[in-house]
Amino acid sequence: MIEYTPELLRNFLFAILIGVFIGFEREYAKKKNKESTLGGIRTFILISILGALAGYFSIFFNNLTFFLSQFLVLSLLILASYFIVNRKSKKLHITTGICAILAFILSASVFYGFGKFAIALAILITLLLSSKHVLHKFIRKITKKELQDTLKFALVTMVILPFLPNKTFGPLNILNPYHIWLMVVFVSAISYVGYILIKLFG
């Protein structure tokens, strides 16, 4: 028997908010660009409710089949929608479809104990979607050298640092390769972020 606990109501509210955040931005983009897309705020709220139900019942019945079946149905509906839209407009935009899948997964993940993370990620996704023109304008300004510098910074931060030993060496045990390189990353990050801000805002 289903118990209507405050936690259950909170989880459904979180799931609905995910659809509201992403759907509001998609609705605005659809009206602004005057494009025929998958859906707007109502569609995304319904997708989030579907994801919430899929997540809840998969836990309630301890069976992942319910979640997977609903995910498959949603995916087929998205593919059918894109097939119809593409036949009419000859313009294929997959952003809204990916957002719909993300809204479904995030809404379901709320019931697996990732409510705050799902809300935060939904806000970040909405922010990313609303920054489309800023990002495109920024990318058009990037030179080849700047792209190479970005890759070098990624190499310093994400490739070299994780593999350095976090142990002290030397006569007084004061040399730690990980901490030394972390300082290099910190200084590089300050310089890199400052450059990005100048590039964006002048």
Side-chain angles (χ1 to χ4, degrees):
M1 182 178 178
I2 299 176
E3 297 181 3
Y4 298 97
T5 62
E7 182 180 1
L8 176 63
L9 296 176
R10 184 198 65 185
N11 287 341
F12 270 102
L13 178 61
F14 278 3
I16 292 172
L17 283 176
I18 290 170
V20 169
F21 287 139
I22 301 177
F24 184 83
E25 194 284 331
R26 290 289 83 192
E27 184 78 34
Y28 176 79
K30 183 172 68 172
K31 295 291 178 61
K32 184 178 180 180
N33 300 325
K34 296 180 180 180
E35 296 177 351
S36 178
T37 58
L38 179 67
I41 185 168
R42 293 182 302 171
T43 304
F44 273 88
I45 291 175
L46 291 174
I47 290 172
S48 291
I49 292 174
L50 178 64
L53 290 172
Y56 174 72
F57 284 117
S58 65
I59 293 175
F60 185 80
F61 294 108
N62 194 23
N63 190 342
L64 197 60
T65 304
F66 192 86
F67 170 82
L68 294 175
S69 62
Q70 299 308 306
F71 180 78
L72 179 61
V73 169
L74 176 64
S75 300
L76 291 175
L77 287 174
I78 293 173
L79 286 174
S81 174
Y82 273 113
F83 178 74
I84 295 172
V85 170
N86 190 47
R87 287 186 63 183
K88 291 181 179 180
S89 63
K90 302 299 180 181
K91 293 181 180 180
L92 185 62
H93 302 280
I94 64 172
T95 304
T96 305
I98 294 174
C99 289
I101 292 175
L102 286 173
F104 178 87
I105 294 174
L106 289 176
S107 299
S109 68
V110 170
F111 292 87
Y112 285 89
F114 299 101
K116 294 180 180 179
F117 173 77
I119 286 289
L121 198 55
I123 294 173
L124 287 176
I125 291 171
T126 306
L127 181 62
L128 177 65
L129 292 171
S130 63
S131 304
K132 173 184 176 181
H133 297 291
V134 176
L135 291 173
H136 286 184
K137 184 179 179 181
F138 173 72
I139 291 172
R140 284 194 293 267
K141 292 182 178 180
I142 291 179
T143 63
K144 185 177 180 179
K145 184 180 182 302
E146 291 167 346
L147 177 61
Q148 291 175 343
D149 291 338
T150 301
L151 294 175
K152 290 176 184 177
F153 177 71
L155 176 69
V156 168
T157 307
M158 302 177 184
V159 178
I160 298 177
L161 182 64
F163 292 98
L164 290 175
N166 191 7
K167 296 180 180 179
T168 54
F169 297 93
L172 299 177
N173 288 330
I174 59 174
L175 298 177
N176 188 311
Y178 184 87
H179 290 167
I180 293 173
W181 200 258
L182 188 63
M183 184 59 65
V184 173
V185 171
F186 180 71
V187 174
S188 301
I190 293 176
S191 176
Y192 186 76
V193 170
Y195 178 79
I196 293 296
L197 291 176
I198 292 173
K199 196 77 174 178
L200 284 173
F201 305 108

